[in-house]
Amino acid sequence: MHHLLREIDSGGLLTPHIQPLLERIRTLMGSGHGDAEQVAARVKLINANQHRTTDPVAFEVVGNSLMLRKRLRFSYEGRHRNEVTQRIVSPQRLSYYRENWYLDAWCHDKNALRKFALDAMNQPVMTEETAHELSLDLVNRTLAEGYGVYFGGQTQTARLRFNVTAARWVRHERWHPEQAMTELADGGIEMSFPYSDSTELVMDVLRHGDNVEILEPPALRQALIERVAAMQKLYFSSGLSTRLTP
């Protein structure tokens, strides 16, 4: 918890508020095992994901809009489509996913629930208009339909087969709240879960290389094939092609 609090406040915005809690945790850390510094030194937590910097001022504006139930106006850099759009949203919830901040909000331009990365917001402004209220149950149900930070649209069921090497780790992992696992006779596992956008899912599958195969649906297999083909073209069109055989 001490590590998480320090990492979650990388911009320094919350320091005056969480510092007393950090000190209290340090006291508890040392109460049963001697010096707290030794406890911290003997337990190392490593961040596995890339942390993107969030502007502390933007974080404060978004947080105030969320708690005061006011609408929020900002320009948004949609990196996936490489476009900047103007948005007016009703904030519903802040979420911290893979060490980055996101705002779950009702987008009045799209007339739908959307997730916005705080680091992609430019000059957010809290308006005087009252936010459109959604139940958190509805927010949870809607966001659970996708995979990772991507959701919305018609969901499909992804079916993945991991060989015995990958299965040693994957059988203890949680890829999706609704995942189902089947043990295979050869020691591998088959996993299935719903998804709506393949972007993040393909990236996670690529981590396992040739230790995993996408079984279904065909569109998800094709998305992975296209990504692998693009990677192959990149590397074998370079000088490495004289030393490697595809």
Side-chain angles (χ1 to χ4, degrees):
M1 181 63 69
H2 189 272
H3 173 82
L4 176 61
L5 284 171
R6 285 188 302 162
E7 290 298 314
I8 216 168
D9 188 37
S10 58
L13 176 68
L14 303 176
T15 298
H17 307 287
I18 69 172
Q19 191 60 41
L21 180 55
L22 283 169
E23 292 302 323
R24 175 59 178 159
I25 292 176
R26 283 175 57 84
T27 301
L28 292 172
M29 285 165 57
S31 62
H33 301 280
D35 183 65
E37 293 292 340
Q38 276 295 311
V39 176
R42 298 293 179 181
V43 180
K44 183 178 182 179
L45 285 78
I46 301 173
N47 297 330
N49 301 294
Q50 297 294 328
H51 176 80
R52 303 190 300 269
T53 302
T54 299
D55 180 8
V57 176
F59 186 94
E60 184 174 18
V61 173
V62 172
N64 285 338
S65 298
L66 175 67
M67 295 305 166
L68 295 175
R69 312 307 302 128
K70 297 293 184 181
R71 298 187 186 188
L72 188 67
R73 183 176 67 248
F74 54 88
S75 61
Y76 191 72
E77 181 184 356
R79 295 170 181 138
H80 187 55
R81 296 180 179 176
N82 192 28
E83 63 180 9
V84 177
T85 57
Q86 304 300 315
R87 301 297 183 101
I88 297 178
V89 306
S90 289
Q92 304 298 320
R93 180 178 64 184
L94 272 172
S95 55
Y96 192 65
Y97 175 70
R98 294 192 174 185
E99 297 166 31
N100 291 290
W101 284 104
Y102 296 88
L103 176 68
D104 304 329
W106 179 262
C107 179
H108 294 275
D109 301 284
K110 302 296 184 181
N111 200 33
L113 190 64
R114 290 288 186 268
K115 186 182 290 286
F116 300 94
L118 263 66
D119 59 281
M121 292 182 183
N122 294 314
Q123 298 179 325
V125 176
M126 182 175 67
T127 74
E128 292 301 319
E129 290 187 84
T130 302
H132 175 61
E133 200 71 45
L134 298 176
S135 73
L136 289 180
D137 283 342
L138 175 61
V139 175
N140 288 328
R141 288 198 306 272
T142 304
L143 297 184
E145 292 176 353
Y147 179 86
V149 296
Y150 295 95
F151 69 99
Q154 185 175 1
T155 60
Q156 302 180 73
T157 299
R159 200 156 64 89
L160 314 177
R161 180 170 60 206
F162 297 88
N163 66 16
V164 63
T165 301
R168 298 179 189 130
W169 285 272
V170 174
R171 65 168 45 92
H172 302 291
E173 295 177 355
R174 189 187 189 199
W175 287 45
H176 191 279
E178 298 178 20
Q179 71 185 34
M181 284 192 188
T182 302
E183 294 286 342
L184 303 178
D186 63 359
I189 61 169
E190 184 177 303
M191 180 192 292
S192 62
F193 48 80
Y195 80 100
S196 56
D197 187 295
S198 65
T199 305
E200 187 174 351
L201 178 52
V202 166
M203 290 189 289
D204 283 344
V205 170
L206 283 170
R207 289 190 299 114
H208 291 277
D210 60 352
N211 291 318
V212 59
E213 178 186 2
I214 296 175
L215 302 178
E216 291 180 345
L220 184 58
R221 284 181 64 96
Q222 185 60 32
L224 183 67
I225 290 170
E226 291 174 0
R227 180 63 67 87
V228 172
M231 293 168 62
Q232 187 179 44
K233 181 179 179 181
L234 172 66
Y235 285 98
F236 287 101
S237 64
S238 68
L240 290 175
S241 60
T242 60
R243 300 192 299 272
L244 300 175
T245 302

